[in-house]
Amino acid sequence: GQQVMQIPQYQHVQEGEDFTTYCNSSTTLSNIQWYKQRPGGHPVFLIQLVKSGEVKKQKRLTFQFGEAKKNSSLHITATQTTDVGTYFCAGWSGSQGNLIFGKGTKLSVKP
Amino acid sequence: DTGVSQNPRHKITKRGQNVTFRCDPISEHNRLYWYRQTLGQGPEFLTYFQNEAQLEKSRLLSDRFSAERPKGSFSTLEIQRTEQGDSAMYLCASSLASGTSGTDTQYFGPGTRLTVL
């Protein structure tokens, strides 16, 4: 079945450093979504990417969808302590009715 | 608060007991999803409804699990004869259908944390 893998599993950065998490699917995706889950909280939708090669920005966050629509990345520039949490990608292949979530990348930021 | 709500927030039960969780979606949302999340993992899809119809159920979902959405509003998830392996956070999400379910923006509730002793 379809699998969505994320690396790294954990990332510790100093405040002000950049951060990137990568998401890879075993199958071509119709779309990919990114969610953020704060410690003790629930996943919160960040963005959806649909087009091959698509790049979207939200302030310090940059999201990319690969040309082959099998991988994606989230890059945070100049991390802040408010960026702490686990970032999940979730892909949909179009062959089943639900999103498949990766295991997430847990980001910690040292002030 | 007009977000997704879930009750109870925490449930401790003994192995073999039945438990039921409730999810109230955002009022105008017609799709409702149930997920299970364990420590260090992403949400794992269990099932989803469009209005009152249960359209998909994970093949991983044991027969001990059943979900309903009788009037297309709130939903319940019941686990019969609980096992220790059922211990997890059970998340509910809702969305307003914008096409296929895989492209909806899903809004998650705070979850119900189940501990089976």
Side-chain angles (χ1 to χ4, degrees), chain A residues 55-109:
Chain A
V55 178
K56 286 188 176 181
K57 292 189 176 183
Q58 288 180 349
K59 297 182 180 179
R60 294 179 295 103
L61 278 60
T62 302
F63 303 84
Q64 291 188 322
F65 201 9
E67 293 290 340
K69 300 184 75 173
K70 295 182 75 172
N71 57 73
S72 181
S73 65
L74 158 59
H75 179 82
I76 302 178
T77 303
T79 54
Q80 300 174 359
T81 55
T82 53
D83 296 325
V84 164
T86 301
Y87 293 84
F88 293 99
C89 63
W92 183 61
S93 68
S95 64
Q96 80 283 332
N98 54 278
L99 289 171
I100 304 295
F101 280 78
K103 290 187 177 182
T105 296
K106 186 174 182 178
L107 172 66
S108 62
V109 179

Side-chain angles (χ1 to χ4, degrees), chain A residues 2-80:
Chain A
Q2 180 191 350
Q3 288 186 320
V4 174
M5 294 149 285
Q6 270 187 268
I7 56 170
Q9 189 174 0
Y10 301 96
Q11 186 76 57
H12 308 282
V13 300
Q14 192 78 34
E15 188 173 22
E17 292 182 339
D18 293 355
F19 159 76
T20 304
T21 174
Y22 300 91
C23 182
N24 293 285
S25 170
S26 56
T27 60
T28 301
L29 299 171
S30 293
N31 61 286
I32 195 158
Q33 298 182 357
W34 285 91
Y35 290 78
K36 177 183 178 180
Q37 186 170 22
R38 295 182 185 274
H42 54 273
V44 174
F45 175 83
L46 293 176
I47 209 160
Q48 174 166 260
L49 304 171
V50 178
K51 299 177 183 177
S52 170
E54 189 170 15
V55 178
K56 286 188 176 181
K57 292 189 176 183
Q58 288 180 349
K59 297 182 180 179
R60 294 179 295 103
L61 278 60
T62 302
F63 303 84
Q64 291 188 322
F65 201 9
E67 293 290 340
K69 300 184 75 173
K70 295 182 75 172
N71 57 73
S72 181
S73 65
L74 158 59
H75 179 82
I76 302 178
T77 303
T79 54
Q80 300 174 359

Side-chain angles (χ1 to χ4, degrees), chain B residues 46-63:
Chain B
L46 295 178
T47 188
Y48 98 95
F49 294 83
Q50 180 154 326
N51 300 313
E52 66 275 10
Q54 188 173 16
L55 295 188
E56 186 155 345
K57 193 173 175 181
S58 170
R59 287 171 291 176
L60 301 175
L61 201 61
S62 160
D63 290 344

